Amino acid sequence: MLRGVVLGRTRLGILLLLAEEHTTSGLARRLGVSNATASAHTAALRGAGLITTVRAGRAVLHRRTALGGLLVRHGS
């Protein structure tokens, strides 16, 4: 599974979960990592153009981009 090696387990997990919108804390909870770790991984994915992030009040919401979706689909 090349995509797991290239992305790493946590980043791949985030991309898979972001088939639906999630908050940073929601991602952290689902993946069993700290909020800080989830935030660092989402920053890297955002920098690569694989996710987008918007602030909604006090929450930070993440979504997979078309490029992120393409990577997930073609890596299966």
Side-chain angles (χ1 to χ4, degrees):
M1 181 190 291
L2 183 58
R3 68 184 174 162
V5 173
V6 173
L7 288 174
R9 177 174 282 157
T10 302
R11 290 181 188 170
L12 175 60
I14 289 171
L15 278 179
L16 292 171
L17 286 171
L18 289 180
E20 298 178 4
E21 184 175 78
H22 285 279
T23 63
T24 303
S25 59
L27 290 170
R29 190 172 39 257
R30 295 282 305 267
L31 295 167
V33 299
S34 70
N35 285 353
T37 296
S39 182
H41 284 298
T42 56
L45 292 168
R46 186 173 47 256
L50 300 175
I51 69 168
T52 60
T53 301
V54 295
R55 184 166 291 281
R58 294 187 337 187
V60 177
L61 302 172
H62 306 283
R63 291 185 181 152
R64 196 167 60 194
T65 63
L67 180 60
L70 187 65
L71 181 65
V72 169
R73 280 191 302 278
H74 285 286
S76 301

